[in-house]
Amino acid sequence: MQPGIDVAGPVQAEIFVVWLNGERVELTGPCGAAPWIIELESAEHPVASVERIVRDVIGPASLVHSTSWRRDRDAVILSFIVVIGAELRGAMTSAPVERLALARSGATSAPTSVEYGQVLEHGLRHLAWLARDDAAVAAELSPAWRTVLAGYVPEPFRNLG
Amino acid sequence: MGPDLRLLRVRCACGWETTGSERDVLAAAEEHGLRVHNMRATRDEIMATAVPVRREQA
């Protein structure tokens, strides 16, 4: 199959759009239940870029937060967790988020491989940390979200590779 | 019957695709790239990925 057009900039954002389907976290987005890649430019703050594009394509997000970074796709990848309300899911494909073990770095080296599900697992652990540590984030998360995140081990921002 | 060279298909790595005339696929791919990926794909970059399709496959 022809590979197709693809994002190729030196700094890219990998967006994980998540929403709460009852008591279950699901991954969605315009590219399906998968990471959504966008190009970042030096003229705009990465958080502003992600917030703007999510708003244009999906609608206003409840939370936009960068949770990790790594080297991949011949670029620096900033990973974002974007929380949306259930009403914004619309016709976008969605799938439950599975729990995974994290990709661990060596003492002075990056992990040998990082799967996107591991980045998402870390992102949700980071969100669990913010839910306890950051008043602005906690205020945006519903009681149902805080209950779900209580099942994740809180972790701060990390370099994943 | 050989492929109809007037009809092209362009895919994005994210799974999105469009089929139509050269003008239509260029416009659609440029719009998709900019709106969804913040990416300014050039005409040459888009056409390098375009493949001709038979009308019955469109």
Side-chain angles (χ1 to χ4, degrees):
Chain A
M1 180 183 291
Q2 193 82 359
I5 56 175
D6 199 2
V7 176
V11 185
Q12 303 170 17
E14 177 184 53
I15 305 170
F16 295 93
V17 179
V18 293
W19 64 291
L20 205 54
N21 186 3
E23 299 176 348
R24 189 176 62 193
V25 181
E26 293 203 11
L27 176 65
T28 187
C31 306
W36 172 15
I37 306 294
I38 70 168
E39 191 166 326
L40 295 174
E41 298 168 337
S42 60
E44 189 177 30
H45 194 287
V47 175
S49 296
V50 171
E51 190 280 332
R52 173 178 59 80
I53 292 166
V54 169
R55 177 165 29 83
D56 288 350
V57 176
I58 298 177
S62 304
L63 279 175
V64 174
H65 213 95
S66 179
T67 58
S68 63
W69 72 274
R70 72 184 188 284
R71 172 83 178 163
D72 199 0
R73 298 169 50 91
D74 291 327
V76 172
I77 309 290
L78 306 182
S79 301
F80 284 81
I81 294 287
V82 170
V83 177
I84 63 168
E87 73 281 1
L88 294 182
R89 182 256 170 134
M92 295 187 297
T93 301
S94 182
V97 174
E98 306 293 338
R99 299 300 306 267
L100 288 174
L102 294 178
R104 293 290 181 185
S105 305
T108 59
S109 60
T112 52
S113 69
V114 182
E115 301 296 327
Y116 87 77
Q118 294 174 303
V119 180
L120 177 54
E121 169 74 24
H122 169 72
L124 290 169
R125 294 187 187 196
H126 184 79
L127 197 59
W129 178 69
L130 291 170
R132 297 181 183 186
D133 189 70
D134 187 309
V137 170
E140 289 297 323
L141 292 171
S142 66
W145 258 112
R146 289 199 293 273
T147 298
V148 167
L149 291 173
Y152 285 81
V153 178
E155 284 211 353
F157 189 94
R158 281 186 62 199
N159 161 22
L160 294 180
Chain B
M1 186 166 62
D4 184 342
L5 296 179
R6 292 169 300 174
L7 207 55
L8 300 171
R9 175 168 294 144
V10 170
R11 290 192 167 97
C12 177
C14 75
W16 174 91
E17 66 175 40
T18 185
T19 302
S21 67
E22 178 176 324
R23 185 180 65 179
D24 289 347
V25 297
L26 277 169
E30 285 173 0
E31 194 274 341
H32 172 80
L34 186 59
R35 180 169 180 269
V36 178
H37 300 291
N38 204 36
M39 170 181 65
R40 286 170 177 78
T42 66
R43 179 189 186 284
D44 287 349
E45 288 169 341
I46 295 168
M47 290 307 294
T49 70
V51 293
V53 293
R54 296 176 188 273
R55 285 212 174 269
E56 59 266 29
Q57 294 174 329

